[in-house]
Structure formats: C-alpha cells, structure tokens
Amino acid sequence: MPVRPLRTLAVAAVLAVAAVLAVTAGCATATTPTAEAAGQPRPGGALTWAVETEPITLNPHQYSQAKARLLVWNSFESLLTYDTRGALVPWLATGWQATPDGLSYTLPLRAGVTFTDGTVFDAAAVKANLDKLREPGYAPAVAAVQLRHLKAVEVVDPRTVRLTLTAPDVLVLDFLASPQGAQVSPRSLREARNLKAGGVDVVGTGPFVLDRYVPGRELHYRRNPGYDWAPPTATHTGPAHLDEITYRFLKESAVRVGALTANQVQLIEGVPATDQPLITGNPRLRLTRALNSGSAYTYYLNVSHAPFDDLRVRQAFREALDVDTVLTSVYRDTATRAWSVVSPSSPLYDERLAGSYGGDTATANRLLDQAGWTGRDAAGYRTRDGRRLTVRLVQAAPYVRDRRDVLAQAVQAAVKQNAGIDLKVSVVDQGTAQQAFDRNEYEVFDNSRADTDAGAALNLLLHSGGGINRTRVADPQLDRLLEAGQAATDPVRRAESYAALQQRVVATQALALPLYAPADQIAASTAVGGVRFEPTAGVPASAYDLWIAR
C-alpha cells in the first residue's frame, strides 16, 4: 500500500505550514560556530546532557511533559512521524491507506523490527498497544480524546493492521506519530513491575536502551547495536553514533550553564535570557532555539465558582495585566507574546486576536466595580461583602519550566497594583497539585502543550470531556467547534472551526489569558555534532543523530 500524500488529509495540510513557520521563524542560531565544528559524524563516545525537568514517567503512553519528548524518542518509536515540511512519513509503518469515508485506516508494517527485549514487532504488538491504551484507568486522557473514535483494531496479517473508527477523525494519524502512540513491547505491557511509571523494564524499538535510572539524579542510555530502522527524517541509518548518553537532572539554569562552561556536561537545554550571554559569548559553545508547536503558555480560568464564574471578573483579570511588560521583565526580549491559546507557530493560530485585549487598567477597575468588588482592605486588595478578591494559581513543580514561577510572581504584583486582585501562587508537588484540581480548590490553571497538531491540545483543555479541562467549562458551542475541527477533511473548514473557537475562548468568554509561545533552547559544545530540533514540535530531538568529536 502506498504512503498517502499528507496533503490529501486535513491534518496534513495545516501542519505543513506549521513546520515551515516553526523552522523559519522559531529557530535561530545565536553563535557563529556550526555543526561542522564537530567534524564529520563518527561512531563511539559518550555524552552528558543536563536537562531542566525530571520526567514524571518513562512510559511514553503516559507522556504529558513537553520536556520529556527528547527522552521518549531514545527508546520508543511510533508508526509515523513528520518531516521538516510538516508532512507525515512512515516510520515503523511503511505507509497507510484511508477509505474514502475516513472510517478506516490500513497500515502495513516494517519487517525485521524487534523490541530491545527480543520481542518481534508486528501487527499483534500494535494491537496490544492500542488495546492497552483503551483499557479503563490506564491512559484515560488518551482514550477520551485521541482515541475517542477508535472502534476496533484488526490484525489483517502479521505485517498489516487496520483501525476502524466510529466517525471521521483527522487527528488519528497525528496520534500515530505522537509519543502516546509510541510502541511498547507487549512483554513490558504484561510484565513490567510498574508499567505506568516506566523504567528499565519498559522497552521499545528505539536506538537506545535505558539501563539505569537514579531518581532525582540521572538517566543513562546505551546504544542498541541491532538498530536499523531509522525514520527518513534522520541524518543517518544503522545504530546511533554514540555508545552511551547520560541525562542529568539540573533544575536550576545557572547550575546547568555552569556545568556546560566547566565542561562537566556537553549539552544543556532550557537557557533563559539572563544566562544566554554566557553561551553566545563563548567561542566553544553555540546556542540554538525553536518555538514549540501546539498550545501557548496560558492561564486558564476556572468558571465553576466565584470569582471567575463572573465574566466581568475574568475580563478584568485580563485587562489588569500588561503581558508585554511582565514578559520583558522576566525574559527580557526573548519571549514571543501569545495572543491566543494556539501557538503563533501553528497555522491554526487566529492572528485577528493580536492587540485586541489586555493592559487596560481603567477598564479592569470599571468591570470590578460593576461586579460589586468595590471595597478595599488595608493591604489594598478589593473586597466584596467582607471577602477579599482572591484567586489561586497552583503550579505542579514537575511542569514548571522557563521560570514560570518567576513569571507568576510578576503577574501577581501587576494585578495587585493595577486592579487590587490577590493572586496567590503555590508551587507544589504533583500529588498536591492533583488533589487541588480534583477538589476544585484553584481558580487559575497554567498549561502549554507541544502537540504537533494544536487540535489535540484544545480537545484536552477545552472540550467538556477533556482530560485536563481545568476551566471546568461545559459549553455546547465549544464542543461543537472542537468536534467539527477534529472531523473536518477540508483544511479551510477546519481552520474556520478553530478560529471561531479561539475567538470564543479568548475574546468573547475570556476563559483564558494567553501569555507566551514556549520555546526550547539547546546550548552545546562545538565538539558535539547533530544537534537538532524535532520537526513541527520544535522541541529537542533524540540523541540518535548526535556525535562527538574526538
């Protein structure tokens, strides 16, 4: 079966533009040395890479941190992937064929692929993964969104699998190219000691094998010597260049940069503006950047209880903040302002929102007066009926990146000064954050996602059945727009659905306050070659193409 050209599918047409924007607008080389400084690719050697965030889980099916993608793709692989033009291309599948009604996809699979535990990769393995993903309680967000229309998985023959849907869904192929769609050994699915957490006994088909995990400290991968099925997006074939790679968890950016400049590590990611001169001013180092795809970093407002159940208060919170000013104070001139919940690198982004709201202090105060928050307490905060106008932002520590805790403090100061709003910021562990969300003890939820298709992120965040719908909105009109965007085979109609959704979410209902478009930065020794970002996602790629000069 031939590979279907991506332009025949709605998801493809829009993502092609996204990739071009992400590459041309989002990436920049900040120093003069190029990859050639490392010479020609050569086998062997070991690297150490300092990363900002320790993964919550090492199981790709449970993936939820954009910062974990570079780790996922070391050990696990998907059926499809994206090239630099945003086109879907084969990986563990050799192609795909859709029926005219969009209700069935048949995928032939590569021969000769094995999981690193020796299990053969075949159609039965694909079915085992998809069946597991739909198992109650295993990956509920995936089952409810990405696989909500999956009706059945059929093993046609050992090298062919067929997916049958209950309704057309242009996001299904995007799912098959995502970390959540990566293939895990059926043996791991059956026998892993803690499957949801992952670890050395949860394996894939990838170019590296995770052989050591020291929580709070590091991950260590060794090369898979039998690997020979790289995707067409890779720069070489066969086993990885490196013998091994270690990822050290260094949360503080100054510590990461210090380790790099002292040659204790050879690569780091997550380089804030304050530390970038230390990289760009060093001739032995180079800095590259890329905008992430998917959704922008946004404050989502909980409308299920006071005070954000009142549209006027939501609008006032938005108008009380001069986003450009706080971004400049925290990130200098390196942050890209976001005007929508969709990243500006996405072709689904509605540019009409730019400049349409925010930073109007007079309007913010007038709206709060109209909503009855007319009193002031001794600290200068607004009150009504003796209660302070307080809203709570609960940040889960494993998801805090890009100095978002510092940004929250800047927002906190601004909304107090401009409108008398008391924003309480708490950075807590994941369990405590989840408890707050489950108990509905918050008013602001912060989030960004690096999904290659923004539609997947919006379904999770804004659909009434979305797995992380922390606005707690149940708006039939939003649901209809999201479902129309997921089903549309015409890219123009799809873009129209998402544009209408953005207008309703941001402009009309003020359910969200977009702040900035997340970006990733990689600083590396010029002795390291093959440094690149993942096409369309704009996040650091796996270690497969890396090499080190010796």
Side-chain angles (χ1 to χ4, degrees):
M1 296 182 182
V3 175
R4 291 292 299 274
L6 186 59
R7 64 180 64 91
T8 65
L9 302 167
V11 66
V14 293
L15 285 173
V17 181
V20 173
L21 287 171
V23 172
T24 59
C27 296
T29 300
T31 54
T32 53
T34 63
E36 286 71 25
Q40 293 300 309
R42 63 193 71 196
L47 284 179
T48 302
W49 185 327
V51 295
E52 181 177 11
T53 304
E54 181 172 0
I56 296 172
T57 172
L58 296 168
N59 178 338
H61 294 166
Q62 308 294 322
Y63 159 84
S64 61
Q65 296 162 289
K67 290 280 190 176
R69 285 179 75 110
L70 76 164
L71 305 173
V72 167
W73 297 128
N74 279 339
S75 296
F76 301 95
E77 301 178 304
S78 55
L79 299 180
L80 307 174
T81 190
Y82 288 97
D83 67 14
T84 55
R85 297 175 293 106
L88 277 169
V89 292
W91 194 349
L92 295 182
T94 61
W96 67 92
Q97 182 66 55
T99 55
D101 60 7
L103 296 178
S104 178
Y105 289 89
T106 301
L107 297 99
L109 307 175
R110 294 184 70 152
V113 177
T114 58
F115 293 95
T116 54
D117 62 6
T119 303
V120 173
F121 168 76
D122 57 13
V126 176
K127 178 175 170 56
N129 275 263
L130 290 169
D131 287 347
K132 187 67 180 180
L133 282 160
R134 294 189 296 162
E135 185 178 288
Y138 176 65
V142 174
V145 177
Q146 290 98 321
L147 297 181
R148 65 192 295 256
H149 293 133
L150 182 59
K151 179 180 180 181
V153 183
E154 176 189 357
V155 175
V156 178
D157 60 49
R159 287 182 52 196
T160 310
V161 65
R162 180 176 296 128
L163 280 57
T164 303
L165 310 180
T166 59
D169 187 344
V170 299
L171 292 178
V172 69
L173 293 180
D174 178 71
F175 167 75
L176 296 178
S178 72
Q180 293 97 333
Q183 297 297 296
V184 175
S185 167
R187 182 184 300 172
S188 294
L189 296 177
R190 296 190 306 267
E191 302 176 6
R193 292 184 298 276
N194 188 341
L195 178 59
K196 282 193 173 185
V200 296
D201 60 348
V202 179
V203 305
T205 61
F208 290 94
V209 178
L210 175 66
D211 61 5
R212 186 174 73 247
Y213 172 35
V214 182
R217 182 179 173 185
E218 66 183 28
L219 292 164
H220 181 269
Y221 293 84
R222 57 178 170 79
R223 178 168 54 188
N224 174 7
Y227 184 78
D228 194 22
W229 41 86
T233 55
T235 61
H236 76 291
T237 58
H241 298 306
L242 296 172
D243 289 327
E244 55 186 305
I245 183 165
T246 301
Y247 294 89
R248 293 178 57 192
F249 309 133
L250 299 179
K251 180 174 177 56
E252 299 299 325
S253 61
V255 176
R256 291 194 301 277
V257 172
L260 179 65
T261 56
N263 202 32
Q264 297 170 348
V265 303
Q266 291 77 49
L267 300 97
I268 65 173
E269 57 83 29
V271 187
T274 51
D275 293 327
Q276 289 181 11
L278 298 174
I279 307 300
T280 57
N282 189 326
R284 298 185 298 103
L285 304 174
R286 66 178 181 275
L287 177 70
T288 53
R289 312 180 186 92
L291 281 182
N292 296 171
S293 61
S295 60
Y297 179 63
T298 299
Y299 283 179
Y300 294 89
L301 310 184
N302 182 354
V303 302
S304 68
H305 60 243
F308 286 146
D309 58 343
D310 189 326
L311 173 61
R312 294 168 297 185
V313 180
R314 300 198 300 273
Q315 291 172 328
F317 185 74
R318 181 182 67 187
E319 295 303 321
L321 184 64
D322 184 336
V323 174
D324 289 319
T325 297
V326 297
L327 291 180
T328 298
S329 70
V330 177
Y331 304 112
R332 298 186 180 176
D333 295 319
T334 63
T336 299
R337 169 72 186 272
W339 290 96
S340 174
V341 292
V342 175
S343 171
S345 68
S346 170
L348 297 178
Y349 172 68
D350 187 354
E351 62 183 14
R352 294 175 301 168
L353 287 166
S356 64
Y357 64 86
D360 188 338
T361 301
T363 296
N365 284 283
R366 183 174 66 252
L367 287 166
L368 291 177
D369 287 342
Q370 293 172 0
W373 295 94
T374 54
R376 294 273 183 166
D377 63 17
Y381 293 109
R382 283 182 174 264
T383 61
R384 187 180 68 182
D385 300 328
R387 292 180 294 111
R388 178 182 286 185
L389 178 52
T390 298
V391 293
R392 296 163 292 180
L393 167 61
V394 179
Q395 295 183 303
Y399 293 93
V400 174
R401 53 173 285 194
D402 305 342
R403 305 181 75 212
R404 290 175 179 178
D405 49 345
V406 178
L407 176 60
Q409 293 169 14
V411 174
Q412 180 184 58
V415 297
K416 176 187 179 182
Q417 177 179 338
N418 295 336
I421 299 172
D422 180 18
L423 173 63
K424 292 191 178 299
V425 181
S426 301
V427 181
V428 298
D429 62 83
Q430 176 65 11
T432 302
Q434 189 61 52
Q435 186 176 73
F437 300 145
D438 292 343
R439 293 179 176 178
N440 201 15
E441 296 173 347
Y442 68 97
E443 286 71 43
V444 184
F445 169 66
D446 65 327
N447 184 269
S448 66
R449 291 183 59 86
D451 301 273
T452 48
D453 189 297
L458 297 177
N459 272 320
L460 283 165
L461 290 159
L462 295 168
H463 194 281
S464 59
I468 49 174
N469 178 0
R470 308 291 189 209
T471 64
R472 295 182 175 249
V473 66
D475 182 342
Q477 184 171 340
L478 284 183
D479 286 353
R480 284 193 295 270
L481 290 169
L482 286 164
E483 290 160 9
Q486 188 168 359
T489 56
D490 178 354
V492 174
R493 289 181 56 193
R494 186 167 190 252
E496 289 173 348
S497 293
Y498 286 120
L501 179 139
Q502 290 168 78
Q503 290 290 327
R504 185 166 182 80
V505 168
V506 179
T508 306
Q509 294 299 313
L511 298 172
L513 174 57
L515 296 174
Y516 72 92
D520 270 294
Q521 312 85 27
I522 302 176
S525 164
T526 54
V528 178
V531 176
R532 64 188 184 92
F533 292 88
E534 188 181 328
T536 72
V539 297
S542 77
Y544 176 66
D545 283 324
L546 294 179
W547 76 88
I548 187 167
R550 289 182 294 167

